[in-house]
């Protein structure tokens, strides 16, 4: 499950932003879709990795555009060619704006037949998208034989608090 923005305290946010700014400056990044990952620990933000690419797992296509005021995807494409982003607004997160995704994982092996309950899920407040990851008839296996086919669908929800998005994702599931 991913919910953006993360549910961090103000000191944790400042620590993350400060660390990210130092990494970007030292790396010499000017205009680039750029991702920094790390962990929040008792000692603060611990840097894990950086990549000159956008985030994965629907973060760029669904989560970030759902919460940012600017046109994040246009800015990414512009930056990919080395030009200054041209979004109409800064990529800021308005207060009380959250979005999340959760994967629906099956514990069963066999053949995928159908995904039921979509209409009911669409009626839940905050429902945004549901993406079925499998085609009818597709084989479903479990790890370690296959680490991907057990992911049946990805669901997306939005809300005014981190907790409301987490609750809606559970409800949709």
């Amino acid at each position: 499950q991913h919910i953006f923005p993360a549910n961090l305290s103000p000191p944790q946010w400042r620590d993350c932003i400060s660390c990210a700014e130092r990494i970007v400056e030292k790396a010499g990044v000017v205009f680039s879709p750029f991702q920094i990952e790390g962990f929040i620990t008792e000692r603060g933000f611990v840097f894990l990795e950086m990549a000159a690419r956008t985030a994965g797992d629907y973060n760029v296509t669904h989560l970030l555009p759902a919460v940012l005021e600017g046109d994040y995807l246009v800015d990414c494409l512009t930056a990919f060619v080395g030009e200054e982003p041209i979004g109409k607004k800064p990529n800021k997160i308005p207060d009380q704006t959250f979005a999340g995704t959760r994967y629906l994982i099956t514990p069963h092996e066999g053949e995928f037949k159908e995904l039921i309950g979509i209409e009911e899920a669409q009626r839940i407040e905050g429902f945004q998208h549901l993406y079925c990851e499998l085609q009818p008839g597709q084989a479903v296996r479990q790890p370690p034989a296959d680490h991907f086919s057990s992911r049946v669908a990805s669901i997306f929800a939005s809300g005014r608090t981190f907790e409301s998005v987490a609750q809606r994702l559970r409800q949709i599931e």
Side-chain angles (χ1 to χ4, degrees):
Q1 171 175 293
H2 298 288
I3 298 178
F4 188 79
N7 195 19
L8 303 176
S9 70
Q12 290 172 321
W13 269 110
R14 286 191 298 274
D15 190 32
C16 289
I17 296 300
S18 173
C19 184
E21 287 172 344
R22 290 192 313 272
I23 292 167
V24 168
E25 181 182 330
K26 296 240 186 245
V29 175
V30 180
F31 302 120
S32 173
F34 192 77
Q35 169 180 295
I36 296 172
E37 291 186 23
F39 297 100
I40 302 294
T41 69
E42 293 174 0
R43 297 181 318 165
F45 181 81
V46 176
F47 172 69
L48 176 65
E49 72 171 2
M50 64 180 179
R53 62 170 173 79
T54 59
D57 293 330
Y58 302 109
N59 292 332
V60 170
T61 57
H62 290 77
L63 296 187
L64 293 174
V67 299
L68 294 173
E69 289 180 336
D71 193 335
Y72 183 74
L73 295 175
V74 168
D75 283 349
C76 282
L77 292 173
T78 304
F80 269 132
V81 297
E83 297 176 10
E84 184 173 359
I86 57 172
K88 295 178 182 169
K89 296 180 180 177
N91 281 309
K92 302 261 185 215
I93 305 167
D95 289 341
Q96 298 181 342
T97 305
F98 294 82
T101 184
R102 177 178 284 197
Y103 304 131
L104 302 181
I105 310 291
T106 181
H108 305 289
E109 290 196 351
E111 182 180 300
F112 176 71
K113 296 196 181 340
E114 65 180 327
L115 188 60
I116 57 173
I118 295 172
E119 296 80 14
E120 182 180 341
Q122 290 173 326
R123 290 192 290 273
I124 295 171
E125 182 182 357
F127 173 90
Q128 294 294 318
H129 305 285
L130 184 145
Y131 178 69
C132 187
E133 306 271 354
L134 302 177
Q135 298 294 321
Q138 186 172 339
V140 177
R141 297 184 311 168
Q142 296 295 317
D146 183 339
H147 290 274
F148 301 103
S149 68
S150 60
R151 185 162 94 179
V152 175
S154 298
I155 55 176
F156 304 90
S158 62
R160 298 178 61 79
T161 67
F162 183 95
E163 293 78 18
S164 71
V165 173
Q167 177 194 16
R168 289 170 180 168
L169 289 169
R170 284 190 301 271
Q171 203 175 356
I172 294 167
E173 184 177 22

